[in-house]
C-alpha cells in the first residue's frame, strides 16, 4: 500500500536499472569477490571510525556457511556495489544484520532494495525473521512517542549526539519496513 510506496519504488527502480542481488554463503565467495567486498567495506567507512551501535561481526569472513550469509548487490556491469552481511541464528530461524556497506555511487534506495531482496529470499527458504539492527531508545525517539517532561529532555540530549551516534537514523530506516519491535536487554 501507500505507506511503503517509497520502498517499493526503490525496489522497482533498481531492478529496472539492471541491478541484481545474489544471496551467497561465505564458501561461495571467491577470492576476487571477497576482495571487492572488503574494499567496499573499507571505502564505506573511509577514515572515520565505526559510529553508533555497530552490530558488525569481527571480520567479514570469520564465520562459515552455517553462521553467515551475504546478500550482494551487483550493478548493471556485474560489479559488486554493496552488500548486507548477516549472522545466522538457526535456533531462532533468523538472520541478524551485521553490516550494510555500499559504494557512495549507488543509487538512492540501494539498501532498501537489498533488504527487500533478503526478506523475499528468507521467506522462500524458511527463515522466520530478519533482524535489521538494534535501534536503541526507539520508544523515546519515535516521532509519535508520548513522552514526559524528563523524557523530552532525554530525547533532546540523545539527538544532540547525532554526529557521534546514528540513533534516529537507525530508527527511521527500520520504520520503512513496518517492523515488529522487540525489546532487547
Amino acid at each position: 500500500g501507500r505507506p511503503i510506496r517509497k520502498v517499493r519504488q526503490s525496489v522497482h527502480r533498481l531492478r529496472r536499472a539492471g541491478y541484481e542481488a545474489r544471496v551467497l554463503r561465505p564458501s561461495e565467495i571467491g577470492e576476487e569477490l571477497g576482495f571487492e567486498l572488503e574494499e567496499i567495506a573499507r571505502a564505506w567507512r573511509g577514515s572515520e571510525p565505526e559510529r553508533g551501535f555497530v552490530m558488525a561481526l569481527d571480520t567479514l569472513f570469520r564465520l562459515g556457511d552455517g553462521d553467515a550469509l551475504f546478500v550482494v548487490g551487483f550493478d548493471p556491469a556485474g560489479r559488486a556495489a554493496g552488500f548486507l552481511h548477516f549472522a545466522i541464528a538457526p535456533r531462532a530461524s533468523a538472520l541478524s544484520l551485521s553490516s550494510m556497506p555500499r559504494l557512495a555511487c549507488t543509487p538512492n534506495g540501494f539498501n532498501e532494495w537489498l533488504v527487500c531482496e533478503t526478506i523475499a529470499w528468507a521467506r522462500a527458504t524458511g527463515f522466520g525473521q530478519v533482524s535489521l539492527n538494534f535501534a536503541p531508545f526507539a520508544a523515546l525517539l519515535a516521532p509519535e512517542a508520548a513522552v514526559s517532561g524528563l523524557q523530552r529532555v532525554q530525547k533532546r540530549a540523545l539527538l544532540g549526539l547525532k554526529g557521534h551516534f546514528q540513533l534516529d537514523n537507525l530508527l527511521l530506516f527500520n520504520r520503512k519496513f513496518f517492523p515488529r519491535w522487540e525489546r532487547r536487554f
Side-chain angles (χ1 to χ4, degrees), residues 68-122:
L69 186 78
F70 291 82
V71 182
V72 183
F74 293 90
D75 69 16
R79 292 180 303 262
F83 62 93
L84 304 180
H85 184 228
F86 290 93
I88 299 172
R91 286 205 167 168
S93 182
L95 300 174
S96 181
L97 185 62
S98 167
S99 61
M100 51 188 208
R102 61 182 173 85
L103 296 176
C105 62
T106 57
N108 188 27
F110 182 84
N111 282 339
E112 289 84 345
W113 165 69
L114 279 180
V115 167
C116 290
E117 293 290 326
T118 301
I119 292 170
W121 179 87

Side-chain angles (χ1 to χ4, degrees), residues 9-180:
Q9 288 172 337
S10 294
V11 168
H12 292 308
R13 184 176 58 253
L14 278 129
R15 285 181 183 160
R16 278 193 310 270
Y19 280 79
E20 178 192 353
R22 286 187 226 146
V23 178
L24 302 167
R25 301 288 180 155
S27 68
E28 297 173 309
I29 296 175
E31 189 175 324
E32 186 177 326
L33 179 56
F35 179 75
E36 282 183 69
L37 299 183
E38 287 176 342
E39 282 299 310
I40 290 168
R42 268 193 290 280
W44 177 247
R45 191 175 69 226
S47 63
E48 296 294 318
E50 290 284 2
R51 293 188 183 194
F53 289 79
V54 178
M55 300 301 287
L57 301 168
D58 294 343
T59 62
L60 283 180
F61 299 103
R62 184 176 66 85
L63 299 178
D65 286 2
D67 298 314
L69 186 78
F70 291 82
V71 182
V72 183
F74 293 90
D75 69 16
R79 292 180 303 262
F83 62 93
L84 304 180
H85 184 228
F86 290 93
I88 299 172
R91 286 205 167 168
S93 182
L95 300 174
S96 181
L97 185 62
S98 167
S99 61
M100 51 188 208
R102 61 182 173 85
L103 296 176
C105 62
T106 57
N108 188 27
F110 182 84
N111 282 339
E112 289 84 345
W113 165 69
L114 279 180
V115 167
C116 290
E117 293 290 326
T118 301
I119 292 170
W121 179 87
R123 246 187 220 136
T125 55
F127 282 92
Q129 295 181 52
V130 175
S131 176
L132 295 182
N133 55 51
F134 170 60
F137 309 110
L140 189 62
L141 294 171
E144 74 283 352
V147 294
S148 68
L150 176 60
Q151 288 173 321
R152 272 194 295 282
V153 171
Q154 292 170 330
K155 183 174 183 173
R156 274 196 301 273
L158 287 171
L159 291 174
L161 298 172
K162 189 171 176 102
H164 303 284
F165 299 100
Q166 300 180 17
L167 302 173
D168 58 333
N169 293 355
L170 288 173
L171 177 63
L172 293 173
F173 180 81
N174 287 351
R175 290 170 64 98
K176 294 177 184 182
F177 302 97
F178 299 94
R180 181 184 74 236

